[in-house]
Amino acid sequence: VNEPQHVSLATVTPDAKIIGGFSKLSNGASVPTTWKLNEDGSLEKEVWAYPSDVAHVSIIDISADGSIAVGKAGLSRFGGVEAPMYWTSKTNSVLLFGESESVPGTFTCVSANGKYAGFRASGVPGILNIETGEMKTFSTDIVNAITDDGLVFMAGSDPVVGTTTYLYSKELGTISLANYVRNHLNYLEEEVYNKLLEIAEGTVKIMHVSPDGKNWGIQCVEDNIQTAYMLHLEEEIVLKPRPEALTASVDREDRNVVELTWQAPVTSQTVTGYKIYANLELRATVGADKLNHTDNNAPAGYNDYTVTAIYGDEESPHSDPTQAIVVDNFSIPFKEDFTSLSSETNFWDLK
């Protein structure tokens, strides 16, 4: 790339035909730029749309066809603070949190099909569905890679091994790499499975993933030496979608009764039943035609309810939990400090 001013190259498409990054204007401002490799070997430069009060705007990653990009923008209106920005086309730039919000951060990656993007804002990582605008945040450190069907690979902290990897999808929820290997890759040859599980239980990052999720670039630490592996999965992993939108409500007349409702998973696979858990202990099993359950003898205390879907001999991951606070017996004298900020906790009626 022959430019009169400084340039930075951050990403390249899988076919190595488009490079993304930023180039410098004569006034020193950085602008989002791609360079396309033509058949004759020349490079065609294109500057993407950017706000007028630009201090620094850069493309961090780009979709496989070069039509969608993600990055960051340092804007003069925010004192140069960098904020997450994405592009739905070369002529349309979008600040993730709007034109008037100063939320520091950056996008970190985009799926090859341009549908999903990973970001980090105010220290919190998350994903954006670019088509719908739906966002989800996580309690990990950073989103490293996303497949075309929305399987997210994230780096997070672990008190024992330091840095480890977590995965997320609507079907899976959030799961550690070690548990993913145990639950979904246990069909691998014993030697490969044992090695992969050993890696997953240590200090590990998944740095890159192919669009179909079958090829992983792995960075890990073995015997205090940083090591890299490439994993290729021959078979497509068919996940078992989990139930959604679980709700729990405590009966005000009988405080040990909890009413649960949920939505069936969206899948073409046959659901044969559901299992209901409280604090990961099985409470009941119901048929596939049931989307509700009454726990008539709920244990006292804070109960995190989850539901799984049964597919013949297999079981889906747990739904997102919902909490039900069951008050059994009051000690005397009874003290209420309202730390829950809810009148429902001990069944007060506000007059």
Side-chain angles (χ1 to χ4, degrees):
V1 176
N2 183 19
E3 291 282 338
Q5 304 290 335
H6 173 73
V7 301
S8 177
L9 309 179
T11 185
V12 62
T13 54
D15 61 5
K17 295 252 179 107
I18 301 175
I19 305 168
F22 70 79
S23 60
K24 288 277 192 177
L25 300 177
S26 58
N27 63 3
S30 303
V31 294
T33 308
T34 55
W35 293 264
K36 181 181 179 181
L37 181 63
N38 295 318
E39 294 296 331
D40 61 2
S42 63
L43 287 173
E44 180 182 340
K45 175 183 175 181
E46 286 192 274
V47 176
W48 291 45
Y50 59 88
S52 58
D53 60 338
V54 58
H56 174 83
V57 183
S58 176
I59 291 173
I60 300 295
D61 201 7
I62 194 167
S63 63
D65 64 0
S67 65
I68 304 291
V70 299
K72 58 185 178 179
L75 305 178
S76 302
R77 77 188 88 152
F78 300 141
V81 173
E82 292 181 336
M85 176 173 277
Y86 65 98
W87 290 262
T88 57
S89 69
K90 294 173 184 177
T91 58
N92 184 49
S93 62
V94 183
L95 281 168
L96 180 59
F97 296 102
E99 295 292 329
S100 61
E101 295 292 329
S102 175
V103 180
T106 181
F107 277 96
T108 56
C109 60
V110 66
S111 59
N113 60 4
K115 182 176 180 178
Y116 303 100
F119 65 86
R120 182 177 174 86
S122 296
V124 178
I127 56 169
L128 168 71
N129 185 320
I130 293 176
E131 294 180 355
T132 66
E134 179 184 0
M135 285 191 286
K136 181 174 178 60
T137 58
F138 305 99
S139 57
T140 54
D141 294 336
I142 191 170
V143 175
N144 287 329
I146 311 176
T147 66
D148 277 353
D149 58 1
L151 181 60
V152 182
F153 293 76
M154 303 173 282
S157 299
D158 182 274
V160 177
V161 301
T163 300
T164 190
T165 290
Y166 295 89
L167 291 82
Y168 168 82
S169 72
K170 289 192 71 173
E171 297 87 356
L172 277 175
T174 301
I175 186 174
S176 69
L177 177 60
N179 282 335
Y180 184 81
V181 172
R182 292 188 192 99
N183 297 334
H184 301 285
L185 300 181
N186 50 18
Y187 66 88
L188 296 172
E189 294 181 6
E190 184 177 358
E191 182 180 354
V192 176
Y193 170 78
N194 289 338
K195 182 61 180 178
L196 185 58
L197 184 59
E198 177 188 338
I199 291 170
E201 290 175 337
T203 300
V204 59
K205 291 182 183 178
I206 307 298
M207 302 302 296
H208 298 283
V209 180
S210 61
D212 60 6
K214 291 185 178 181
N215 300 282
W216 302 3
I218 304 173
Q219 177 182 302
C220 62
V221 176
E222 296 180 310
D223 299 324
N224 295 319
I225 298 174
Q226 187 163 291
T227 310
Y229 289 92
M230 176 64 75
L231 173 69
H232 172 67
L233 301 171
E234 292 285 350
E235 300 178 21
E236 182 179 355
I237 299 170
V238 179
L239 300 176
K240 302 300 180 184
R242 58 193 185 136
E244 300 179 10
L246 176 64
T247 65
S249 59
V250 179
D251 191 306
R252 293 181 65 89
E253 300 299 323
D254 187 340
R255 296 174 303 195
N256 290 105
V257 173
V258 177
E259 301 284 349
L260 301 163
T261 64
W262 60 89
Q263 293 178 6
V266 179
T267 178
S268 59
Q269 302 175 64
T270 301
V271 176
T272 56
Y274 298 96
K275 291 186 177 181
I276 296 93
Y277 295 82
N279 301 325
L280 298 181
E281 292 188 2
L282 182 64
R283 300 290 297 172
T285 302
V286 299
D289 59 335
K290 296 276 288 183
L291 294 176
N292 58 76
H293 175 70
T294 302
D295 191 345
N296 287 307
N297 191 28
Y302 292 82
N303 295 302
D304 287 326
Y305 280 93
T306 55
V307 177
T308 62
I310 305 169
Y311 297 85
D313 295 332
E314 298 183 84
E315 187 175 357
S316 77
H318 287 251
S319 67
D320 288 335
T322 187
Q323 191 173 83
I325 304 172
V326 176
V327 181
D328 194 2
N329 296 310
F330 293 95
S331 59
I332 302 298
F334 170 71
K335 179 182 178 181
E336 172 66 271
D337 59 10
F338 292 101
T339 54
S340 71
L341 302 180
S342 170
S343 62
E344 299 294 322
T345 303
N346 286 314
F347 305 95
W348 293 95
D349 286 318
L350 300 180
K351 302 294 186 181

